[in-house]
Amino acid sequence: MLRRSRITDIIRRGAMVMTRFSIPRWLVVSLVVLLCVFCVVMVLAKVSSSDEIVAKVFEAPKGSKLTALHLSPDGRKIWALFVSISRTADSSDVLFSIVQPAIALDAFSHEIVSKANVNESNPWSSLLALSYGDPSVSSVAEQFQDWVIDKDRMVIYGCVSSQAWYEVAPPDTVIRAIEIKSRKQLWERKIPKVSALALSPDGRQLWVASDQRMPATNIIESLDPVLAKIYDEARVVYVIEPQDGTILKRIGYIYGLGVDRIVFSPDGKRAICVSRGGPAGLLVIDAQRLEIEEGWCEIRFSMFSRGMDACFDPDGRHLYVLDRGFDEPPSVQVYDLIKKTEIDTISLTTAGPARSMVLSKPADKLFIGADDGIYVVNLSNWRK
């Protein structure tokens, strides 16, 4: 900052110049006013930018769409998977023609820091392995379409199918447990149409969602007779013992169109199943009693929404749910898990559906993967 004497000297020199060249006073006043307006606009623009909640930080390569995001365990890199799109000669069908090399962005500067090829037969699994950053994990995980890892036991639990990687809940899925170091298979269990899997924070339960429909009265205890007449079929979330693959419980549910994601609260007491749509978007389960929690009937997506992903604040108070959008633009819905209610909706101005969401480390940003690139939701600004 200039000292007072310096400022006075500048004013005196300006006055001398104005006198010497006979600059009209009105012109000087006009220039000063314009300068002040310019300064105010710049300050407001800077404040507006710093207070921005949603911003696009990476543009998808031309002719491609983003299909998955993963955050490295140390929180320093965001790995993104893109596929290029081509059409048949008559433009009747859209085909996934080429799986492009995965791109890693610096989680703070959002600059590209590296690229890597992925296994084209299982690109989603390959991207997850890249983000984990351990070659020994990658070599075991490449056989799976989706997988989770027990870091303490160094065991991978994965889903295997003969179907193409982009098939949703293929019918012939098998869950396998493999020890990473020895590559020994510990157990295998056939569960049809697996759509999601997750490991509890303490590693004592493996949760697997199945898209297979079963008679509701067979898998839901004490099903309300009225509901039994309306919904004759149900889907299942399996709770499995990770040590030997024993099924501990089958939790039946009658709402939604299948589970896309299963996420646990930080304390492991709740499991949230995010549905692809239907009249209910969230299935909230008590992970200790293994029962669906009551009082969540008001937490729903619209009939045509497409919930895709979810994550918790580290303190477990807020749940962020990504609604990919259908007849409306994508959004992030924020729920208060103590009040059991939705408290806000953060709109996303993406060009196309949103498909992935990860929480940064520290937990001050949400990275959203949409067809046209990567967006950031600044949670610090949202909380203001």
Side-chain angles (χ1 to χ4, degrees):
M1 182 177 294
L2 295 173
R3 293 176 299 181
R4 182 176 300 178
S5 60
R6 180 62 174 159
I7 296 174
T8 303
D9 184 55
I10 291 175
I11 294 174
R12 185 182 298 112
R13 288 171 181 264
M16 292 174 63
V17 171
M18 182 179 69
T19 302
R20 181 176 179 182
F21 294 99
S22 300
I23 299 176
R25 186 181 297 276
W26 65 267
L27 180 58
V28 175
V29 173
S30 299
L31 291 173
V32 171
V33 171
L34 288 174
L35 180 61
C36 292
V37 171
F38 176 77
C39 292
V40 170
V41 170
M42 293 301 294
V43 170
L44 290 177
K46 184 175 181 180
V47 171
S48 175
S49 176
S50 62
D51 289 343
E52 198 172 29
I53 294 178
V54 181
K56 190 174 186 179
V57 297
F58 186 78
E59 185 80 26
K62 187 177 180 180
S64 67
K65 292 186 178 183
L66 187 149
T67 186
L69 277 185
H70 285 300
L71 187 70
S72 62
D74 60 10
R76 295 181 179 181
K77 292 181 180 180
I78 310 160
W79 283 92
L81 178 66
F82 296 89
V83 294
S84 59
I85 307 299
S86 66
R87 293 181 181 272
T88 55
D90 59 1
S91 298
S92 60
D93 297 313
V94 176
L95 304 176
F96 292 98
S97 58
I98 301 176
V99 177
Q100 300 180 351
I103 296 174
L105 303 183
D106 185 283
F108 303 97
S109 69
H110 310 143
E111 299 291 333
I112 296 178
V113 292
S114 62
K115 294 183 179 181
N117 292 324
V118 295
N119 183 340
E120 293 192 13
S121 62
N122 282 324
W124 288 338
S125 175
S126 183
L127 183 74
L128 182 56
L130 279 173
S131 67
Y132 196 80
D134 186 338
S136 63
V137 172
S138 302
S139 61
V140 175
E142 63 184 6
Q143 64 181 286
F144 298 121
Q145 289 186 313
D146 193 11
W147 53 272
V148 292
I149 185 171
D150 186 329
K151 298 178 183 178
D152 295 329
R153 297 178 60 216
M154 289 303 288
V155 174
I156 283 183
Y157 305 95
C159 173
V160 181
S161 172
S162 61
Q163 303 296 110
W165 61 271
Y166 48 81
E167 292 286 340
V168 177
D172 61 341
T173 48
V174 173
I175 301 298
R176 291 175 183 162
I178 297 181
E179 188 177 59
I180 295 174
K181 187 176 181 179
S182 65
R183 299 194 178 189
K184 177 184 177 182
Q185 180 173 308
L186 304 179
W187 55 266
E188 176 180 295
R189 177 168 291 278
K190 184 175 181 179
I191 296 180
K193 296 189 175 183
V194 171
S195 60
L197 67 162
L199 190 67
S200 62
D202 60 8
R204 295 182 179 180
Q205 295 175 350
L206 176 67
W207 288 49
V208 180
S210 171
D211 235 6
Q212 185 181 38
R213 298 181 182 184
M214 304 176 71
T217 52
N218 290 358
I219 57 176
I220 302 179
E221 299 175 2
S222 304
L223 180 63
D224 187 294
V226 176
L227 291 178
K229 292 181 179 180
I230 301 174
Y231 303 98
D232 58 349
E233 292 183 325
R235 293 178 173 84
V236 182
V237 175
Y238 294 86
V239 182
I240 297 174
E241 163 59 59
Q243 298 282 349
D244 57 14
T246 301
I247 295 178
L248 301 176
K249 189 166 185 178
R250 298 185 303 172
I251 303 174
Y253 65 98
I254 56 179
Y255 302 110
L257 298 177
V259 171
D260 278 315
R261 298 285 187 274
I262 304 173
V263 294
F264 286 90
S265 60
D267 60 9
K269 294 182 179 180
R270 275 193 179 116
I272 307 293
C273 300
V274 185
S275 172
R276 282 195 293 279
L282 295 180
L283 184 67
V284 184
I285 302 175
D286 186 313
Q288 296 177 316
R289 295 186 294 113
L290 302 183
E291 296 178 358
I292 296 175
E293 286 192 10
E294 301 296 333
W296 290 88
C297 58
E298 297 303 318
I299 297 186
R300 301 184 176 189
F301 295 134
S302 68
M303 180 65 77
F304 298 106
S305 68
R306 293 291 185 269
M308 287 296 289
D309 217 338
C311 57
F312 281 91
D313 261 343
D315 61 6
R317 174 66 184 265
H318 293 129
L319 174 70
Y320 305 100
V321 179
L322 176 64
D323 182 350
R324 67 169 291 185
F326 184 79
D327 51 350
E328 296 181 358
S331 63
V332 176
Q333 299 176 2
V334 187
Y335 297 98
D336 186 310
L337 294 186
I338 295 178
K339 297 180 180 179
K340 293 187 176 182
T341 186
E342 181 182 349
I343 60 174
D344 199 7
T345 297
I346 303 172
S347 298
L348 304 173
T349 56
T350 64
R355 305 180 185 279
S356 299
M357 178 174 64
V358 293
L359 183 65
S360 66
K361 297 179 182 180
D364 58 352
K365 295 177 183 177
L366 289 171
F367 291 99
I368 311 291
D371 275 2
D372 61 321
I374 301 174
Y375 292 75
V376 168
V377 176
N378 190 316
L379 295 177
S380 299
N381 289 344
W382 170 76
R383 295 186 183 106
K384 292 181 180 178

